[in-house]
Amino acid sequence: MTTPESLTFRSDVTVELVKSSASDADVLFAARVSTAGEQSLDELKKDPERSKGLINYLMRDRHGSPFEHNSMTFFISAPIFVFREFMRHRVGWSYNEESGRYRELQPVFYVPGTDRKLVQQGRPGKYVFVEGTPAQHEAVSSTLHESYEQAYAAYQKMLAEGVAREVARAALPVGLYSSMYATCNARSLMHFLGLRTQHELATVPSFPQREIEMVGEKMEAEWAKLMPLTYAAFNANGRVAP
């Protein structure tokens, strides 16, 4: 049986780019096939910097399909409640998550860090989050630790009694960490970022839960390195997906 001392508590998320086929040139050859046909393949041999104006035009006027001809696969480790929000994004995304039916789930749980704002003020649709007091942070931390210890002990008790993993997992909370691979293209990622991150350049405000925003920020940093011209155009045009 796992003891309370063997539980792991985290306040961060893991995002790793495991493979990609994504560059600004992918946008250009896809766009230029409209007028150049097979000659559009020449874009693969040219410096995309020469055509950054075209990328900006496509973004500004929301010609979105040229931004779909690329692929990025991320490994993500985060609390289950993050994934349940994440999987609301369906168009242009593929997911494979670890299964509580096929493996014993590990005792890794989410506890908000001291920088996580705890208190919601205002009414739905018009509220803000503000800093919690030291007492509130202590209450959250101690309560979650106790809850997680009890839940994982119940899970292991059922497993020890021979109960199937798919049944025993019902005792576990959404603060448990899971892991998945998520594959997307630049257009679907831009839509995700527009909804799941706050940014000073965004023309459409968004109010994401902080934990999914943490994932989005790490994905955004990887994408910015792969497609810098597309990323710059995204920011220059209000961070609205084309």
Side-chain angles (χ1 to χ4, degrees):
M1 297 288 287
T2 299
T3 63
E5 292 75 21
S6 62
L7 272 64
T8 299
F9 303 103
R10 296 178 56 183
S11 61
D12 62 339
V13 296
T14 298
V15 176
E16 297 180 12
L17 180 68
V18 296
K19 70 172 185 175
S20 66
S21 175
S23 71
D24 292 313
D26 299 334
V27 179
L28 296 171
F29 77 71
R32 288 211 159 108
V33 73
S34 299
T35 56
E38 67 277 5
Q39 293 179 351
S40 60
L41 289 171
D42 293 341
E43 292 298 329
L44 294 173
K45 305 172 187 176
K46 297 179 180 178
D47 181 3
E49 184 74 27
R50 297 170 57 254
S51 300
K52 63 182 179 182
L54 174 58
I55 292 176
N56 189 71
Y57 159 74
L58 295 169
M59 191 77 69
R60 184 193 69 213
D61 285 18
R62 306 193 72 184
H63 296 290
S65 58
F67 297 100
E68 297 175 5
H69 295 271
N70 54 81
S71 178
M72 294 163 279
T73 297
F74 297 91
F75 172 80
I76 302 169
S77 177
I80 288 174
F81 67 81
V82 170
F83 288 173
R84 296 305 163 260
E85 282 198 334
F86 207 122
M87 291 172 183
R88 297 298 300 164
H89 298 266
R90 300 182 296 277
V91 178
W93 288 89
S94 297
Y95 304 108
N96 279 92
E97 184 181 355
E98 69 174 281
S99 173
R101 297 184 67 193
Y102 303 128
R103 67 170 304 201
E104 181 175 336
L105 298 172
Q106 300 303 298
V108 183
F109 296 94
Y110 176 74
V111 177
T114 56
D115 60 340
R116 206 311 185 177
K117 296 178 179 179
L118 294 182
V119 180
Q120 180 178 324
Q121 294 181 344
R123 57 182 173 82
K126 195 175 183 180
Y127 58 82
V128 296
F129 283 89
V130 299
E131 303 292 341
T133 65
Q136 287 171 325
H137 278 284
E138 173 56 30
V140 169
S141 180
S142 61
T143 302
L144 286 178
H145 277 71
E146 181 181 358
S147 175
Y148 291 152
E149 289 167 5
Q150 292 178 354
Y152 201 76
Y155 173 65
Q156 289 225 307
K157 180 180 179 181
M158 285 187 278
L159 293 180
E161 293 290 338
V163 175
R165 289 184 290 266
E166 65 184 49
V167 176
R169 65 178 173 173
L172 296 172
V174 294
L176 181 78
Y177 273 70
S178 186
S179 60
M180 72 171 178
Y181 289 102
T183 298
C184 62
N185 58 58
R187 189 183 191 184
S188 54
L189 180 57
M190 283 187 278
H191 183 260
F192 176 88
L193 294 175
L195 291 173
R196 301 300 184 179
T197 62
Q198 288 185 313
H199 199 283
E200 61 183 6
L201 296 177
T203 55
V204 180
S206 183
F207 306 96
Q209 183 166 341
R210 177 55 189 153
E211 288 76 12
I212 196 170
E213 185 178 37
M214 290 159 58
V215 173
E217 289 169 349
K218 290 178 178 288
M219 296 176 75
E220 180 172 344
E222 295 293 344
W223 171 56
K225 291 183 285 188
L226 294 171
M227 303 178 73
L229 300 181
T230 302
Y231 179 65
F234 176 58
N235 283 319
N237 290 278
R239 293 175 66 86
V240 176

